[in-house]
Amino acid sequence: MMEITEENDISRIARSFGNAAEAYHQEAEIQKKVADGLISSLLPWRELLPSGPILEVGCGTGFLTRQLIEHFPDKEFLITDASPKMVEFCKSELEKEGLISDKIQFQVLDADEFDEGDTNYAMVVSNFAPHWFKDTSVSLENLSQSIQPGGLLLCSFPGNHSFEQWYEHCLELGLPYTSNPLPDVEEVVVKLSMGPMQIDYYENDLFQEFESSIDFFRHLKRIGASENVKGNALTSKQFRLLVDHWDQKCNNKLKIKWHVVYLAAKKDYA
């Protein structure tokens, strides 16, 4: 199995998630639900994967990792994340559950710097991480090159129809919309389809309730997901205007929409 060199210059996004690992593990309920959904979508493939190791990109605290190991007890794994602290947290959680073996390796990996080399994975899987790649389509296509024929690329990510309320309230107030740009699923599918991949995907809206808009933004910060990839931010005055307006528009609890994309791409045989 190939070795991946650890990056010394960890991005502020990876650092933010790493510092929030404990809170993420407790509070990232949408990410956990999506991991469960990704496992469900994998079940039909369980007996069809070719031989070879599995690479997980963006393991986080291990929501998906534990289930992967339980579903594929005979497979070798390379478990990775861009954050060293997340990798260590995930490893610690697996150790608590007695799931560590000599078949499982852990590495720090920035997917944007991934070099497929001569690897031959049976599956590359990534739960709720591809939207943090610099270019989701390019990085997924690059990852897919490391998969052997008959193997699978399986991933999930929030699509660009997430957080529509946030966008609409910014539009009404004439404020900058400072959410990170999220992938357009059609663009991702088209680019992946240009290679030797058979693509299947489905979309699902999940909703998360909060007492107020400020609770939503605090939640993102607590779990490490508030870093803006372009460094965009509202002024204090603009932010207060947004949360006051948003709360006035809601009679009850806020319902935040996550537009979730599940994507499976099987590599064709030559």
Side-chain angles (χ1 to χ4, degrees):
M1 189 176 294
M2 80 173 193
E3 293 184 358
I4 298 176
T5 302
E6 179 172 338
E7 295 288 337
N8 293 320
D9 183 20
I10 301 302
S11 72
R12 57 191 172 85
I13 293 171
R15 188 179 301 114
S16 178
F17 276 111
N19 291 337
E22 184 67 46
Y24 183 96
H25 196 63
Q26 298 298 323
E27 299 185 33
E29 59 183 75
I30 290 294
Q31 289 81 346
K32 189 175 187 306
K33 285 182 181 178
V34 175
D36 294 341
L38 203 58
I39 281 292
S40 295
S41 67
L42 177 58
L43 292 180
W45 299 87
R46 186 172 178 179
E47 307 300 329
L48 300 177
L49 286 183
S51 61
I54 292 174
L55 169 64
E56 183 182 11
V57 179
C59 64
T61 61
F63 293 148
L64 182 66
T65 316
R66 173 181 56 80
Q67 299 186 72
L68 286 172
I69 293 171
E70 291 175 343
H71 277 79
F72 298 98
D74 298 326
K75 288 285 189 183
E76 292 185 334
F77 286 87
L78 181 57
I79 308 301
T80 76
D81 198 283
S83 165
K85 289 185 178 180
M86 281 295 200
V87 173
E88 287 303 316
F89 192 99
C90 178
K91 183 177 180 181
S92 176
E93 289 299 306
L94 295 176
E95 286 175 340
K96 291 177 185 177
E97 298 186 40
L99 294 175
I100 297 293
S101 74
D102 57 5
K103 293 182 178 181
I104 302 171
Q105 297 184 31
F106 298 86
Q107 294 281 355
V108 175
L109 169 64
D110 180 349
D112 295 313
E113 303 297 328
F114 178 77
D115 180 4
E116 70 275 11
D118 59 356
T119 52
N120 205 26
Y121 291 109
M123 180 169 66
V124 174
V125 58
S126 184
N127 178 58
F128 236 67
H131 57 296
W132 292 107
F133 302 164
K134 289 179 182 177
D135 187 315
T136 299
S137 300
V138 170
S139 292
L140 288 178
E141 196 277 333
N142 192 31
L143 287 167
S144 74
Q145 292 180 31
S146 70
I147 300 171
Q148 61 179 288
L152 187 68
L153 171 68
L154 186 70
C155 65
S156 64
F157 52 86
N160 61 344
H161 296 297
S162 301
F163 311 142
E164 288 178 336
Q165 310 98 315
W166 183 358
Y167 173 76
E168 290 167 0
H169 292 313
C170 285
L171 193 63
E172 291 171 4
L173 295 170
L175 296 175
Y177 176 55
T178 57
S179 171
N180 286 319
L182 294 170
D184 182 322
V185 62
E186 293 184 2
E187 177 182 332
V188 172
V189 168
V190 167
K191 288 186 177 179
L192 274 178
S193 298
M194 296 175 69
M197 308 294 289
Q198 297 179 27
I199 315 296
D200 190 18
Y201 71 96
Y202 71 96
E203 302 163 83
N204 184 34
D205 291 339
L206 297 179
F207 293 88
Q208 192 171 17
E209 288 192 352
F210 295 93
E211 294 292 337
S212 65
S213 57
I214 194 70
D215 286 340
F216 164 59
F217 290 116
R218 285 172 177 166
H219 167 75
L220 292 181
K221 186 172 184 178
R222 282 196 303 273
I223 67 172
S226 63
E227 289 288 338
N228 190 284
V229 296
K230 296 184 177 180
N232 297 330
L234 298 177
T235 66
S236 297
K237 183 177 180 180
Q238 289 174 324
F239 182 70
R240 176 50 57 189
L241 183 63
L242 172 61
V243 297
D244 287 346
H245 176 77
W246 196 341
D247 290 347
Q248 288 172 7
K249 289 282 187 174
C250 297
N251 296 323
N252 299 307
K253 294 182 179 180
L254 265 70
K255 279 192 172 184
I256 299 297
K257 173 184 168 182
W258 295 82
H259 165 227
V260 180
V261 179
Y262 300 87
L263 185 148
K266 183 181 179 183
K267 195 162 191 176
D268 292 335
Y269 289 94

